[in-house]
Amino acid sequence: MGTRRIYKNIALISIIFFLIIFPQGVSSSTQPIKIGLAVSQLENILSINQGIYFLEISMTGEMAAFNDGSSIPIRISNRNESTYSIMIGAFPRLGLYPYEGEEGALKALIKLKELGFQGTIVAFNLIPGYVIEVGRFNDLLEAELFRLRIAQYFPEATILPTLRKGLTITHPDFEIFFPTFENQPLQNLASLKPFGSGLISLNKKLYRGAMNIVWSSNQENFHLINELPIEEYLLGVVPSEMPDSFLIEALKTQAITARTYALKNRGRFAKEGYDLCDTSLSQVYGGFSAEKPNSTQAVKDTFGIVLSYQNQLANTFYHSTSGGKTEKIENVWGGSPIPYLVSVESPYETMSPHYEWVRTFSSSETSSKINRLLSDRGLKAIGNVVNIQVLTRGASPRIITARITGDKDNVEVSGGFLKSALGLRETWAYFEFDGGPGKIVNIIGKDNIIYERILGEVLNNTLLTGLNSITLRGKEIETRISLNWQIMTVKGRGWGHGVGMSQWGAYGMSQAGWNYEKILGHFYPGTFLNKIY
């Protein structure tokens, strides 16, 4: 295994580590942010791409340096069989790589290897000590015979029931097992920290910063959490949320909104040991592998700048495409109005591929999707969908409420329900049917002007019950309309929730010569830009 140095002065190592791994001048006043990359895991593999790294056992502050080229498998261990193991120790400290005169857990492992046996370091969470677990034996006699074989080297060896459940971290040179017990939850178990220019690899992506291995709150699985300074986090967010080909002023708006969002929502998943996740539930984060030159420049150019309202961080919600107008926050998620999250025009985004869209659904598909979501939300099914009627719209005009009529029952739902049930990009949507009460018909008013109306609104729906079709006769035309519709066409605009900044709108404004201050002031009226570090 070779001689490798243990660094005892943890404080000094932490300072050196910080200065070397973050050479780009990130302010020390910026607290690191923790991003949940792989949550609720049963097994996974970490590796380092170059240089050396530290494996820090968090419970006792032990930190040891390792050479590169190692993959670190992590897995939940469930040992269901009833067996016995030999326990050697306890050791007051881990002592991962002993040098002359030092006693430690790894020294015991080395001796066991010389004797031809494989041992595992067992790290307990309640005491700052470790034991070595050796073997699994089916009965006490078998275990006692083995204990006698090693007694001259390890007189303290004890026979105990094998620890059945825990988390195992496997290094090429040794294995560490963290057992779990009822009412004794483990939190941050260990951290993998690259030194110098090293990066951590997880699921074929590279990441800056450290990777924390954290036991989940239910003690059934673990999380892998990327911990790094927020400015380095943003380097992987901006190009993941906005194309790097966008003009620099648009990219700056993304950098500022993403920075403000991260700081405002820090601790959202604190119960599980991290701040934000790496998906659109928080912000999409692709790590070092996602970094691009233009977005990196936008992050650097806006270093430390956030959006604020009345001396507080603003809620900087943003979305892909508004469809030409954003929406009031209370019309999308309910709750009280927020003065700067109001409906504003977004006139420069017609080039967005999501500006307008069309989806079609069959009758059976529509009924299946709607009844499935009703069931998931604890509501009763309504049978075959007869009609979807929008009741209220917002300022944009996104759907706020709608009535879905079925052949067994009807239900009032939100626009968000329809979006989720049908998988729509937005709630700015209109429904057209090829028949039935939702069929659009033309009628002539008393003023002799032709109006578009929905059949179910023109006629009393009860008159249509039990009929297969209806014939509309005019002076010169006769139209037969089936009352059992087959195809529903949904025409809509935009992609996202419609609150706050439209990313394609920001791009269009930058093309029109707007700078990032003017763009942000338009989408978040009444807010101010502040440099907080």
Side-chain angles (χ1 to χ4, degrees):
M1 183 160 30
T3 301
R4 299 173 184 173
R5 181 181 177 188
I6 288 286
Y7 292 89
K8 289 186 175 181
N9 192 334
I10 303 302
L12 178 60
I13 286 298
S14 300
I15 295 172
I16 296 173
F17 165 73
F18 187 87
L19 291 176
I20 295 180
I21 195 170
F22 308 130
Q24 299 172 330
V26 176
S27 170
S28 60
S29 64
T30 307
Q31 293 182 354
I33 194 164
K34 298 178 180 180
I35 310 300
L37 298 182
V39 300
S40 302
Q41 301 287 289
L42 293 177
E43 60 181 341
N44 217 314
I45 296 177
L46 297 172
S47 61
I48 186 78
N49 72 326
Q50 63 181 355
I52 63 172
Y53 64 91
F54 292 103
L55 179 64
E56 181 182 77
I57 308 302
S58 302
M59 290 180 296
T60 58
E62 291 294 335
M63 182 183 289
F66 298 92
N67 289 333
D68 64 320
S70 298
S71 61
I72 314 294
I74 310 160
R75 67 181 185 277
I76 293 291
S77 298
N78 289 293
R79 304 162 172 180
N80 294 323
E81 69 277 14
S82 297
T83 58
Y84 298 93
S85 296
I86 306 299
M87 298 296 177
I88 300 172
F91 302 95
R93 61 186 303 277
L94 185 58
L96 282 177
Y97 280 119
Y99 51 88
E100 185 176 356
E102 180 184 3
E103 296 292 332
L106 194 61
K107 193 168 185 179
L109 284 180
I110 294 171
K111 186 60 181 178
L112 285 169
K113 284 186 178 181
E114 291 175 354
L115 297 173
F117 306 115
Q118 181 69 39
T120 297
I121 298 172
V122 180
F124 293 96
N125 63 318
L126 295 181
I127 57 173
Y130 306 85
V131 299
I132 302 297
E133 179 188 72
V134 188
R136 290 185 219 170
F137 307 95
N138 293 322
D139 56 58
L140 283 171
L141 178 59
E142 185 182 7
E144 177 61 16
L145 291 174
F146 179 82
R147 190 193 68 79
L148 292 173
R149 291 178 60 186
I150 63 172
Q152 61 177 311
Y153 303 103
F154 304 102
E156 77 280 13
T158 304
I159 301 173
L160 292 172
T162 301
L163 296 166
R164 292 195 179 188
K165 184 178 179 181
L167 184 145
T168 302
I169 301 174
T170 304
H171 186 272
D173 295 327
F174 59 88
E175 188 174 76
I176 304 178
F177 179 72
F178 295 89
T180 180
F181 305 97
E182 289 187 13
N183 302 318
Q184 296 178 13
L186 295 172
Q187 296 183 2
N188 193 10
L189 300 176
S191 296
L192 188 69
K193 299 183 176 183
F195 191 82
S197 57
L199 299 167
I200 295 173
S201 176
L202 172 65
N203 298 334
K204 298 182 179 180
K205 288 184 180 180
L206 294 173
Y207 294 91
R208 297 172 180 265
M211 195 71 71
N212 299 334
I213 304 164
V214 177
W215 196 258
S216 67
S217 60
N218 62 13
Q219 298 192 79
E220 295 295 330
N221 42 53
F222 65 91
H223 309 315
L224 294 177
I225 298 170
N226 188 199
E227 183 175 1
L228 72 171
I230 189 169
E231 294 298 320
E232 296 202 0
Y233 160 69
L234 293 173
L235 298 179
V237 170
V238 175
S240 300
E241 286 284 1
M242 179 178 280
D244 193 61
S245 59
F246 278 18
L247 298 181
I248 190 66
E249 292 303 309
L251 291 168
K252 288 178 183 178
T253 67
Q254 184 62 70
I256 293 170
T257 54
R259 181 183 294 109
T260 308
Y261 181 92
L263 292 171
K264 181 74 172 180
N265 291 276
R266 184 196 295 271
R268 180 180 174 186
F269 301 96
K271 181 181 177 182
E272 295 297 336
Y274 54 96
D275 295 307
L276 303 171
C277 67
D278 63 340
T279 72
S280 57
L281 289 175
S282 296
Q283 300 183 118
V284 180
Y285 167 60
F288 179 83
S289 296
E291 294 181 18
K292 302 290 183 182
N294 292 332
S295 55
T296 294
Q297 189 61 50
V299 173
K300 291 181 177 179
D301 288 349
T302 62
F303 182 88
I305 298 177
V306 296
L307 207 62
S308 63
Y309 181 79
Q310 294 184 348
N311 298 319
Q312 299 291 325
L313 289 169
N315 285 297
T316 51
F317 299 112
Y318 55 87
H319 56 280
S320 169
T321 307
S322 76
K325 194 173 185 179
T326 66
E327 187 54 81
K328 299 176 181 178
I329 188 171
E330 65 269 25
N331 287 343
V332 176
W333 294 310
S336 302
I338 296 179
Y340 54 88
L341 293 177
V342 293
S343 179
V344 299
E345 301 288 339
S346 182
Y348 298 104
E349 58 179 78
T350 54
M351 79 292 287
S352 168
H354 318 298
Y355 184 73
E356 294 180 324
W357 47 266
V358 177
R359 293 281 306 277
T360 59
F361 301 88
S362 69
S363 175
S364 60
E365 181 184 13
T366 302
S367 299
S368 174
K369 288 177 178 290
I370 286 176
N371 284 306
R372 186 184 305 122
L373 188 56
L374 286 173
S375 176
D376 290 345
R377 297 190 177 181
L379 302 172
K380 64 180 180 179
I382 61 171
N384 296 317
V385 173
V386 175
N387 190 20
I388 299 176
Q389 180 185 8
V390 176
L391 301 178
T392 56
R393 292 185 180 272
S396 50
R398 288 165 172 82
I399 299 171
I400 298 177
T401 60
R403 178 183 294 113
I404 307 174
T405 302
D407 59 5
K408 294 182 179 179
D409 205 348
N410 64 80
V411 63
E412 288 194 12
V413 299
S414 66
F417 178 94
L418 289 171
K419 178 182 177 182
S420 298
L422 300 174
L424 304 179
R425 291 180 176 177
E426 251 285 16
T427 58
W428 185 329
Y430 296 87
F431 301 91
E432 297 180 6
F433 298 82
D434 64 352
K439 170 70 176 177
I440 296 177
V441 296
N442 293 323
I443 64 170
I444 301 176
K446 292 181 179 180
D447 52 7
N448 289 322
I449 297 176
I450 297 175
Y451 295 91
E452 281 192 349
R453 291 290 186 268
I454 296 174
L455 183 60
E457 295 176 350
V458 176
L459 302 176
N460 187 333
N461 283 332
T462 59
L463 299 177
L464 306 179
T465 303
L467 300 178
N468 292 323
S469 65
I470 186 171
T471 301
L472 302 181
R473 291 191 178 126
K475 291 182 178 180
E476 300 178 356
I477 192 170
E478 182 175 294
T479 303
R480 182 174 180 272
I481 299 175
S482 171
L483 295 181
N484 298 311
W485 66 273
Q486 299 300 315
I487 299 296
M488 177 180 69
T489 301
V490 186
K491 296 180 180 180
R493 284 190 181 188
W495 192 7
H497 45 67
V499 178
M501 185 183 74
S502 163
Q503 293 165 311
W504 276 92
Y507 175 55
M509 290 172 176
S510 68
Q511 285 187 316
W514 293 32
N515 61 23
Y516 73 89
E517 294 99 331
K518 186 177 180 180
I519 296 171
L520 291 172
H522 176 80
F523 284 116
Y524 306 99
T527 60
F528 295 91
L529 291 169
N530 289 325
K531 186 175 177 63
I532 60 173
Y533 54 81

